[in-house]
């Protein structure tokens, strides 16, 4: 029953399954049709579901999201693809002013079950605007939910769950993982609920919080730390808004230490929120302040030096050392 | 700023001369303006958009305009008395809105901006619901699907994309071009001349054209975007922009309720039949302020306002009805009483509206509420209960 798949394949299979299960599900975006998207996530779907359900759109991000709002109001479940993270900003107004508020301002009469897929993060050697991590901008906005997948199996399940959700979901896909690693997908398994975090490696010394592309970084760091006799617990947050704090707080109460790792800028990022909540909830259990490892507070740099910008295994281990030294 | 002052006389030229292509600007809307009833109340005919209106229909349109104007007057007064936080006046735009609103069929769907009180009236929405929004009781208390009339959209032009997407949904639902008049449907997107400068409106034009969506873009060119004149938005007559996007544009006398009705009806029919989008520019004038916080005496000449008063959308219908013996004094008297009753109902109803519970802050943020929001609500509820006489 199981097959070896990449994240790209997991998302593709998940989209296909969602479209088979519900004929109200539509895909929209630039190049999602014949080309199958620039990352091939929608590969073959237009051929099988037709141009009315896999819609190649004009090159206008606000137009893509804004017309998807209208389709959702008409009873469809549109899934829009923003081609790259840095291109979501032209649609920012539609997402934060319209998508996020429609249910609220209509007193629940106009739900907007739509998904905004954004390939996010760096490490692919791209030119500017192709490597950004805008998650905090959306997680700061009530009315939309924000999730990030980190692996092929989650990609398969989470995209289906996001489409099935009656709330609008910003769905972040770590683009450098699209074609990187394979995993075994069991399509008969029962997935965990969408808005839950997951402990992906148990440990006793430091809790490392990661999501999307940094989950892999955290897992590498945990392996390296183990050779030094340090035991890291790694949590894949998966959901950024709402945050699922229960596994996080349980873990920090046991380890007494937490390090948050994300590619986005540290200032006012997800790490800041996590640090605040952990401090509020388990102040007396902490052996060290919650530390953050992330992208610097600069624009995303040119690709020849992006590896210096991105949090890597060494910077993460350095933070673990600092936490242990308190 | 006038068109003349921004052009460069003596320019050797690059491509066709704009003034030659589009002609000079006209204070009266220009030769292409579709009109069926002149400002003097004279019925004129148009080769393409003429309709036979019977006396009942014209009296009905007149009644709508009178009552909607009363709504506007009462709401403005209520704002002055501190009962509304703000009000967006429609004074002078009654014909554009009633003409467009009455041209709708029940199954059509409207995406309004924040000034479409007349269209809301045509859709059967209680005006008190409009007042509630401006009073700050809620963000709009009507069901968009029940009335086929969306919630007011404050961000300029954002709703034109929603309208286009909704129209694309109608295409997929198979309710366009079936030939069944009870089934075929279309969408109207309302916006103003200022919104025509917004990216979203231009993107909506592109999407609508590209997918041949059944949407009518109904622009009320009331000449002013707060203090910015139409010359600051467009160097050419707005309706001519549509051609550049690949669909027809037409300019109608927005102060002529018969003409706006006829043109909108034709554009809607075109859309329902599957022939795609149309841009209707209702050429009108905002006689009042942008909203009650605005002071138009700072930026426009009273001469202009006086000139537009002569084109009043209601007065010309009254002249027509009286001159042709289609309505007697009793009709106007009864209508006046009806307007007074509406005014009294609005005044009382507005003042009687209770404030929502503070806990309503938390209602309907999500379809599936989050635990963290439920916890915030519970915390705030407990906090409120710690006070005596809590207004929860």
């Amino acid at each position: 029953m199981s097959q070896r798949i990449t994240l790209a394949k997991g998302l593709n299979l998940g989209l296909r399954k969602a479209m088979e299960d519900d004929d109200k599900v539509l895909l929209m975006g630039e190049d999602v049709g014949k080309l199958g998207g620039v990352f091939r996530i929608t590969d073959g779907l237009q051929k099988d579901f037709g141009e009315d359900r896999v819609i190649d759109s004009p090159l206008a991000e606000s137009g893509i999201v804004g017309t998807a709002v209208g389709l959702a109001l008409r009873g469809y479940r549109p899934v829009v693809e923003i081609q790259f993270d840095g291109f979501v900003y032209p649609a920012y107004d539609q997402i934060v002013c319209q998508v996020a508020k429609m249910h609220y301002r209509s007193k629940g009469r106009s739900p907007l079950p739509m998904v905004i897929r954004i390939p996010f993060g760096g490490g692919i050697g791209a030119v500017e605007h192709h490597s950004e991590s805008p998650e905090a901008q959306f997680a700061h906005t009530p009315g939309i939910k924000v999730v990030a997948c980190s692996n092929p199996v989650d990609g398969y399940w989470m995209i289906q769950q996001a489409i099935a959700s009656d709330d609008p979901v910003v769905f972040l896909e770590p683009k450098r993982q699209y074609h990187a690693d394979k995993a075994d997908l069991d399509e008969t398994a029962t997935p965990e609920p969408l808005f839950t975090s997951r402990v992906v490696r148990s440990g006793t010394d430091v809790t490392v919080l990661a999501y999307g592309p940094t989950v892999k970084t955290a897992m590498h760091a945990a392996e390296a730390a183990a050779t030094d006799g340090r035991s890291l617990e790694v949590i894949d947050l998966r959901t950024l808004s709402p945050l699922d704090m229960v596994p996080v707080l349980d873990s920090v109460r046991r380890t007494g230490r937490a390090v948050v790792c994300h590619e986005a800028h540290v200032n006012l990022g997800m790490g800041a929120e996590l640090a605040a909540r952990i401090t509020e909830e388990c102040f007396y259990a902490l052996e060290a302040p919650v530390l953050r490892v992330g992208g610097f507070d600069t624009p995303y740099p040119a690709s020849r030096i992006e590896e210096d910008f991105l949090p890597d295994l060494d910077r993460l281990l350095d933070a673990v050392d600092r936490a242990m030294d308190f | 700023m006038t068109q003349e002052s921004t052009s460069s006389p003596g320019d050797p030229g690059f491509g066709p001369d704009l003034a030659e292509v589009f002609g000079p600007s006209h204070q009266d809307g220009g030769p292409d303006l579709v009109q069926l009833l002149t400002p003097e109340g004279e019925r004129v005919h148009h080769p393409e958009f003429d309709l036979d209106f019977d006396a009942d229909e014209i009296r009905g349109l007149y009644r709508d305009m009178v009552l909607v104007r009363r709504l506007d007057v009462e709401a403005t007064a209520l704002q002055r008395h501190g009962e509304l936080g703000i009000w967006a006046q429609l004074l002078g735009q009654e014909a554009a809105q009633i003409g467009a609103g009455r041209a709708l069929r029940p199954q059509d769907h409207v995406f309004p901006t924040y000034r479409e009180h007349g269209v809301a009236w045509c859709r059967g929405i209680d005006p008190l619901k409009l007042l509630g929004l401006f009073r700050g009781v809620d963000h709009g208390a009507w069901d968009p699907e029940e009335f086929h009339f969306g919630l007011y959209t404050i961000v300029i032009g954002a709703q034109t994309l929603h309208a286009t997407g909704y129209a694309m949904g109608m295409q997929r639902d198979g309710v366009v071009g079936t030939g069944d008049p009870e089934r075929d449907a279309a969408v109207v997107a309302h916006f103003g001349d200022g919104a025509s400068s917004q990216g979203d409106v231009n993107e909506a034009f592109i999407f609508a054209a590209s997918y041949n969506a059944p949407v009518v873009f109904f622009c009320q060119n009331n000449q002013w975007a707060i203090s910015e004149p139409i010359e600051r938005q467009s160097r050419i007559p707005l309706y001519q922009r549509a051609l550049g996007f690949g669909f027809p544009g037409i300019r109608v006398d927005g102060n002529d309720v018969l003409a706006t009705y006829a043109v909108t009806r034709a554009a809607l029919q075109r859309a329902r039949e599957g022939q795609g989008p149309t841009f209707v520019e209702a050429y009108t004038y905002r006689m009042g302020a942008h909203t009650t916080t605005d002071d138009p005496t700072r930026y426009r000449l009273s001469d202009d306002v006086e000139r537009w008063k002569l084109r009043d959308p209601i007065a010309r219908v009254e002249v027509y009805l009286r001159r042709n013996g289609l309505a007697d004094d009793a009709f106007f008297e009864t209508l006046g009483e009806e307007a007074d009753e509406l005014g009294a109902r609005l005044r009382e109803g507005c003042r009687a509206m209770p404030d929502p519970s503070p806990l309503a802050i938390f209602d309907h943020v999500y379809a599936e509420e989050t635990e963290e929001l439920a916890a915030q609500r519970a915390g705030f509820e407990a906090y409120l209960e710690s006070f005596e006489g809590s207004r929860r």
Side-chain angles (χ1 to χ4, degrees):
Chain A
M1 216 51 199
S2 90
Q3 53 176 318
R4 296 283 289 173
I5 57 163
T6 59
L7 173 60
K9 187 67 180 171
L11 290 163
N12 179 269
L13 289 172
L15 288 167
R16 174 178 290 278
K17 183 73 166 46
M19 296 187 78
E20 284 167 357
D21 289 351
D22 182 353
D23 62 11
K24 293 291 187 187
V25 175
L26 307 174
L27 309 189
M28 274 181 90
E30 297 160 14
D31 308 304
V32 298
K34 282 203 176 68
L35 182 66
V38 291
F39 292 106
R40 310 294 184 264
I41 306 304
T42 55
D43 190 29
L45 297 176
Q46 189 184 62
K47 184 172 147 283
D48 294 342
F49 294 97
E51 291 182 10
D52 273 353
R53 293 193 62 197
V54 182
I55 307 166
D56 271 323
S57 71
L59 273 74
E61 284 75 15
S62 191
I64 294 167
V65 174
T67 52
V69 169
L71 282 158
L73 290 173
R74 183 71 193 179
Y76 288 84
R77 299 182 93 87
V79 182
V80 304
E81 177 175 302
I82 301 293
Q83 204 155 62
F84 285 91
D85 35 55
F87 303 164
V88 74
Y89 300 113
Y92 189 70
D93 166 61
Q94 281 288 342
I95 297 171
V96 304
C97 293
Q98 306 297 327
V99 173
K101 293 179 180 172
M102 198 63 79
H103 192 266
Y104 190 67
R105 61 207 282 263
S106 71
K107 299 186 180 182
R109 293 187 180 103
S110 302
L112 276 192
M114 60 185 283
V115 177
I116 300 164
R117 292 181 41 237
I118 308 176
F120 86 124
I124 62 163
V127 293
E128 63 178 343
H129 312 304
H130 289 68
S131 305
E132 310 204 347
S133 300
E135 57 268 27
Q137 322 243 14
F138 299 111
H140 191 64
T141 304
I144 44 179
K145 292 175 175 173
V146 183
V147 301
C149 60
S150 68
N151 63 77
V153 175
D154 270 2
Y156 175 77
W157 292 115
M158 285 173 70
I159 190 63
Q160 293 180 64
Q161 293 167 322
I163 293 168
S165 169
D166 285 333
D167 284 306
V169 177
V170 170
F171 193 91
L172 300 165
E173 301 167 3
K175 68 172 84 78
R176 84 172 123 124
Q177 308 287 5
Y178 272 145
H179 304 284
D181 304 310
K182 287 191 172 179
D184 287 319
L185 171 69
D186 175 3
E187 291 171 67
T188 63
T190 304
E192 290 171 66
L194 179 59
F195 301 109
T196 53
S197 302
R198 184 167 58 219
V199 177
V200 289
R201 180 184 171 112
S202 299
T204 52
D205 292 331
V206 178
T207 302
V208 178
L209 304 171
Y211 56 88
T214 57
V215 174
K216 187 173 177 182
T217 311
M219 292 298 276
H220 285 166
E223 281 166 31
T227 62
D228 290 338
R230 284 204 173 135
S231 169
L232 306 190
E233 179 146 304
V234 179
I235 296 182
D236 181 354
L237 291 171
R238 300 170 77 247
T239 172
L240 308 182
S241 179
L243 276 167
D244 176 21
M245 291 302 292
V246 174
V248 174
L249 298 175
D250 284 351
S251 175
V252 175
R253 286 192 186 105
R254 278 187 284 104
T255 62
R257 293 176 174 84
V259 175
V260 190
C261 183
H262 55 56
E263 291 191 7
H265 316 295
V266 165
N267 186 42
L268 298 170
M270 292 304 303
E273 179 63 26
L274 286 156
R277 293 211 201 180
I278 291 167
T279 308
E280 280 181 3
E281 295 292 328
C282 36
F283 183 72
Y284 290 107
L286 286 173
E287 303 287 342
V290 180
L291 299 179
R292 292 171 289 167
V293 182
F296 301 113
D297 293 320
T298 69
Y300 198 86
S303 62
R304 288 285 177 176
I305 48 172
E306 69 179 329
E307 294 303 334
D308 295 293
F309 173 91
L310 294 168
D312 62 3
L313 176 146
D314 289 334
R315 275 171 59 200
L316 184 49
L317 288 175
D318 178 64
V320 167
D321 287 347
R322 282 187 283 131
M324 293 296 289
D325 286 346
F326 268 91
Chain B
M1 180 79 68
T2 63
Q3 287 195 8
E4 286 71 25
S5 71
T6 54
S7 65
S8 336
D11 189 316
F14 185 86
D17 179 79
L18 280 181
E20 233 171 66
V21 175
F22 297 110
S25 72
H26 294 268
Q27 290 270 346
D28 63 357
D32 294 337
L33 189 80
V34 177
Q35 196 173 62
L36 299 180
L37 189 66
T38 69
E40 294 74 34
E42 191 185 333
R43 183 78 165 83
V44 290
H45 296 281
H46 190 277
E48 197 179 343
F49 294 103
D50 219 357
L51 284 177
D52 285 329
F53 292 92
D54 67 31
D56 266 352
E57 283 172 322
I58 300 179
R59 281 193 297 260
L61 294 169
Y62 178 79
R63 173 181 173 273
D64 285 334
M65 289 196 292
V66 167
L67 294 178
V68 161
R69 178 167 290 185
R70 174 56 74 93
L71 155 65
D72 193 61
V73 167
E74 292 294 343
T76 304
L78 283 164
Q79 194 280 332
R80 298 297 183 223
H81 284 96
E83 299 292 338
L84 302 180
I86 195 172
W87 176 252
Q89 296 163 277
L90 66 62
L91 186 67
Q93 297 177 228
E94 296 88 351
Q97 296 197 11
I98 298 300
R102 288 294 173 213
L104 295 161
R105 293 186 61 87
Q107 67 269 29
D108 297 331
H109 201 96
V110 176
F111 284 83
T113 174
Y114 45 77
R115 202 190 295 282
E116 266 62 71
H117 320 314
V119 188
W121 171 268
C122 294
R123 296 264 88 180
I125 291 171
D126 186 337
L128 279 170
K129 304 259 196 227
L130 306 178
L131 297 191
L133 189 162
F134 289 96
R135 188 175 170 86
V137 171
D138 51 43
H139 298 308
W142 61 91
D143 183 343
E145 287 303 315
E146 179 187 351
F147 293 97
H148 292 285
F149 185 83
L151 294 185
Y152 277 9
T153 303
I154 311 289
V155 177
I156 303 294
Q159 76 284 358
T160 58
L161 283 169
H162 308 166
T164 304
Y166 198 94
M168 290 164 65
M170 284 176 168
Q171 287 173 318
R172 281 158 181 75
D173 290 343
V175 295
V176 180
T178 69
D180 177 356
E182 302 305 316
R183 184 174 163 81
D184 284 346
V187 177
V188 180
H190 286 271
F191 58 105
D193 44 300
S196 71
S197 297
Q198 287 280 352
D200 275 4
V201 173
N202 288 271
E203 292 186 24
F205 290 171
I206 288 169
F207 276 68
S210 177
Y211 300 118
N212 207 42
V215 56
V216 175
F217 295 106
F218 191 91
C219 176
Q220 288 166 73
N221 175 1
N222 69 13
Q223 315 294 322
W224 294 95
I226 309 189
S227 70
E228 309 269 4
I230 180 63
E231 290 79 13
R232 186 56 86 200
Q233 316 296 336
S234 185
R235 289 284 304 275
I236 64 165
L238 280 181
Y239 74 100
Q240 295 187 351
R241 284 194 185 168
L243 295 178
F245 290 94
F247 52 89
I250 187 152
R251 176 177 271 184
V252 60
D253 182 346
N255 286 19
D256 174 356
V257 70
L258 303 186
T260 52
Y261 175 90
V263 167
T264 312
R265 201 179 88 140
L268 279 165
Q269 191 51 31
R270 203 176 160 269
R272 292 187 206 106
E273 286 169 1
Q275 297 180 64
T278 306
F279 180 106
V280 176
E281 178 192 359
Y283 195 79
T284 182
Y285 196 80
R286 192 192 77 208
M287 294 300 291
H290 165 67
T291 68
T292 43
T293 61
D294 175 30
D295 176 11
T297 63
R298 281 171 170 258
Y299 54 79
R300 68 184 185 189
L301 299 170
S302 56
D303 278 4
D304 283 349
V305 181
E306 292 305 314
R307 196 163 55 245
W308 276 93
K309 270 186 188 164
L310 300 174
R311 298 181 209 168
D312 187 279
I314 298 182
R316 71 177 70 178
V317 184
E318 181 175 344
V319 169
Y320 177 78
L321 288 172
R322 286 189 186 277
R323 189 183 292 156
N324 293 281
L326 301 176
D328 54 14
D329 286 344
F331 167 80
F332 292 103
E333 207 171 294
T334 309
L335 182 54
E337 285 164 13
E338 196 181 349
D340 289 343
E341 282 164 25
L342 174 67
R345 185 169 79 80
L346 294 178
R347 286 193 298 276
E348 285 159 26
C350 182
R351 290 197 174 96
M353 269 179 221
D355 285 350
S357 155
L359 291 175
I361 291 169
F362 298 97
D363 290 343
H364 308 298
V365 179
Y366 298 100
E368 298 154 21
E369 191 173 54
T370 65
E371 282 177 32
E372 52 193 42
L373 197 57
Q376 274 193 13
R377 178 207 300 267
F380 188 53
E381 188 170 13
Y383 173 77
L384 290 178
E385 279 170 357
S386 72
F387 295 95
E388 266 186 59
S390 149
R391 63 191 175 99
R392 184 176 66 83

